[in-house]
Every structure is written in structure tokens, then in C-alpha cells.
Amino acid sequence: MADHQETSVTLPSDPASVSAARRYVADVLSTWGLPSDGDTADTVRLIVSELATNAVQHTFGQSPTFTVDLRLEREEELYIGVTDSHPRWPKRLPAAVQQDNGRGMVIIRWLAAECGGRLSVAPTEDGGKTVWITLPWTTAVPQQEPVPTPVAPENG
């Protein structure tokens, strides 16, 4: 595999694009060697769903599209970025606020941390922002424990 791989897709800011973004990311990561049925793949799909949902719901029509970027560096770190052109950056809600939504960034930050990753936000040249998630790349097949050889009891 190359030292650096990257790809991106730009989608309309429409609720149907959330599942399209999730499928796109799952397909790309599968071709890069991430097993699609593992915990890491589930975590990445949830992170992408939350980020894409935020790009659709919280830009209030001011970002007609959003872009999902994937970058794999030296098979060590995976970067997932979702960019929109809305100038408002995501905000963490106070714990006391009672809402049915608005907890996506808390979930994303927690999921990233659980995997040993981190969340960051960076401005774009056009006044928008990219929310980046950086995760360690873990595609290694887990080593199976060796099966112990039965030992015959000693007579004595």
C-alpha cells in the first residue's frame, strides 16, 4: 500500500446524502483493508453519519454541499474530514440543556477518544470549516491465542 492515500466526495446538503456519505466511506475503507464487519468500521460509520448530519442540519441552507475527505498516512493514521461552507463552528452544549438533539459533537469526540483519536476543527479558505477526526489505523488481524497442547499427567 502507498504511504499516502486520499479521496473525497462532495454531496448535496440533503438528508439522503448522509447514508450516501456513510456508504462511500465504508466502501473506500474496505478497499484500503479495513474489515467492514469490525468495531472500528462501525465507529467510523457512526462518526461519518454524525458529521454528515451536522453538515446538513446545522448549516441552515447556507452550505449547498458538503465534502467528505479521507486520508490514510503511512498506514498509521486515518483522517476523516467533513467540510461545509457555513461559517459557524460546532459548539458543545452545556450538560444541563435538555434537547432531543445537539449531542452529535459530544458523541463524535467520545468515539474518537475511545479509539485513541482526536477531533479538531479547521477554517477553510471560503469561510467555512472542516471537522477532522484523526484515528489510529488498525487493520491488523488479531493474533489468535495458541491452543495449548494437552499434557498427559505424570504417573508416579
Side-chain angles (χ1 to χ4, degrees), residues 23-47:
R23 277 192 311 274
Y24 175 79
V25 168
D27 291 347
V28 168
L29 295 183
S30 178
T31 64
W32 287 356
L34 184 69
S36 61
D37 59 350
D39 289 342
T40 302
D42 289 343
T43 298
V44 169
R45 283 190 293 266
L46 182 53
I47 287 171

Side-chain angles (χ1 to χ4, degrees), residues 40 43 47 107-118 134-136:
T40 302
T43 298
I47 287 171
I107 292 168
I108 293 166
R109 189 179 300 275
W110 183 84
L111 287 169
E114 280 291 303
C115 294
R118 63 191 178 282
T134 306
L135 300 172

